[in-house]
């Protein structure tokens, strides 16, 4: 992989979407309980390497096929933190400036490199003062990979 | 092993540390309650772009100085999910194969691009069957930026 593919030489703009990223939302303006948003993207080999470099998480489970083959997963899996990042990407697509306050995560099933992850949000509580609680699920082909709850503050953009 | 199996030429190897990453640990073998581990790395502009590309989180708060200047933060901040990733990087440095089961996170204060983040772990419960609960804090210069609790399964490597 060249520096161009991984590094700062692939600039990405605020609010940018790549051709294989998709967002669906029924939220228009201020969120209400029951509103939903879905964001999906494929997770590539390059994405796993980018996450490893950015975070420092060089767990062999994610980077070394031979070593990962000997684990309960039988091969490499995507970092749980990267799946969680796709949930944050969905939250970032809510209208306004989204500030993360809390997130809890349960890691339920592994995601393989090359799979497409869909992060689904549902607004479950309006906590007032522009704070909202959302149910967050990241799945591949119907399987819930990561589930949890997020609390965010949404300010006018 | 074919190229398909190994992926593209990897810029980072399993278990690799970069020169500006540091780990300190008093854990030797099986973890015990009270054991601690610290992992630190600087967060660069390139790291923020890598996380944005890998996750799809193109929130302007992280990528657009002009737009971030108008928020409560007065300028760009590092993705909360990337700080959480540095916590996962610390967990990955526990001895054995570390599998993420649960993580909860409270985002307390912003981290600026260029700051060094230190993730500190303390084993707080031995849950038996190779499961452990750890207190997790990520800080810069003494300020707790992200706090929470992780549950991991640790198998023999």
């Amino acid at each position: 992989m060249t520096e161009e593919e991984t590094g700062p030489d692939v600039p990405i703009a605020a609010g940018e979407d790549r051709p294989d990223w998709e967002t669906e939302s029924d939220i228009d303006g201020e969120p209400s309980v029951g509103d939903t948003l879905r964001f999906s993207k494929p997770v590539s080999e390059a994405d796993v390497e980018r996450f490893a470099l950015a975070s420092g998480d060089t767990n062999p489970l994610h980077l070394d096929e031979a070593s990962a083959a000997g684990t309960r997963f039988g091969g490499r899996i995507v970092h749980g933190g990267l799946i969680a990042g796709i949930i944050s990407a969905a939250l970032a697509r809510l209208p306004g400036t989204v500030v993360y306050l809390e997130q809890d995560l349960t890691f339920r099933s592994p995601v393989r490199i090359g799979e497409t992850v869909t992060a689904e949000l549902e607004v479950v509580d309006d906590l007032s003062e522009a704070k909202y609680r959302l149910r967050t699920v990241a799945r591949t082909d119907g399987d819930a990979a990561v589930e949890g709850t997020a609390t965010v503050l949404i300010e006018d953009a």
Side-chain angles (χ1 to χ4, degrees), chain A residues 8-146:
Chain A
D9 299 340
V10 185
I12 179 148
E16 183 179 340
D17 277 301
R18 294 289 159 111
D20 52 3
W21 301 0
E22 278 178 33
T23 305
E24 272 179 76
S25 172
D26 61 8
I27 307 184
D28 184 19
E30 210 168 291
S32 302
V33 170
D35 283 351
T36 61
L37 184 147
R38 275 188 187 76
F39 170 69
S40 66
K41 80 179 290 293
V43 179
S44 67
E45 174 74 38
D47 290 332
V48 168
E49 293 179 12
R50 286 177 185 122
F51 184 84
L53 269 172
S55 67
D57 186 344
T58 56
N59 192 333
L61 201 48
H62 313 302
L63 296 174
D64 179 15
E65 191 60 44
S67 149
T71 68
R72 64 175 55 207
F73 302 110
R76 286 200 296 163
I77 62 171
V78 174
H79 296 83
L82 175 46
I83 311 304
I86 297 172
I87 292 174
S88 79
L91 292 164
R93 283 166 171 75
L94 294 167
T97 297
V98 179
V99 178
Y100 231 151
L101 299 178
E102 291 175 11
Q103 175 79 58
D104 62 68
L105 302 159
T106 300
F107 300 94
R108 295 215 179 279
S109 64
V111 173
R112 304 290 168 176
I113 293 164
E115 287 192 292
T116 291
V117 172
T118 301
E120 301 175 352
L121 310 180
E122 182 186 351
V123 180
V124 292
D125 275 312
D126 179 338
L127 303 171
S128 81
E129 299 180 332
K131 291 182 191 171
Y132 300 89
R133 186 176 295 122
L134 300 102
R135 186 174 303 126
T136 60
V137 183
R139 55 176 91 246
T140 57
D141 284 336
D143 287 338
V146 180

